[in-house]
Amino acid sequence: MASAGSGDVLTGILAGICAYSSSSLTKTIAIGAYINGKAGEYAQEKYGQYGMVSSDTGREVSFVIKDICQK
C-alpha cells in the first residue's frame, strides 16, 4: 500500500466518515485506518502484492463497509 495515491484513498475514507458520523476524531481515524487496511488486504488478494495500485484499494472500500455492516 506504499504507492502513489494511497494517502488520498485514506483521506477520502476519513472525509466520508466525518461527513456521515459525528463520532470523535480519534474514533473516526481508527475506523478509517481499519477500513483502509482491510480494503488493502482485499485488493492484495485480488491483484497481488506487487500488482495492486491505490485505485484497487479504493474499489474495495464499499465491500469492506458492507462486510462490517453485516457483522
Side-chain angles (χ1 to χ4, degrees), residues 2-68:
S3 63
S6 293
D8 296 328
V9 174
L10 176 58
T11 300
I13 293 168
L14 293 173
I17 295 170
C18 285
Y20 182 76
S21 174
S22 60
S23 295
S24 70
L25 185 58
T26 303
K27 190 173 186 179
T28 297
I29 292 169
I31 293 168
Y34 177 81
I35 292 171
N36 190 55
K38 278 296 188 189
E41 289 175 6
Y42 284 22
Q44 182 181 354
E45 288 177 19
K46 284 187 178 179
Y47 305 105
Q49 180 178 355
Y50 301 107
M52 63 180 269
V53 293
S54 59
S55 60
D56 299 331
T57 302
R59 274 190 221 94
E60 300 301 318
V61 170
S62 62
F63 298 111
V64 172
I65 293 170
K66 180 180 175 186
D67 288 348
I68 290 170

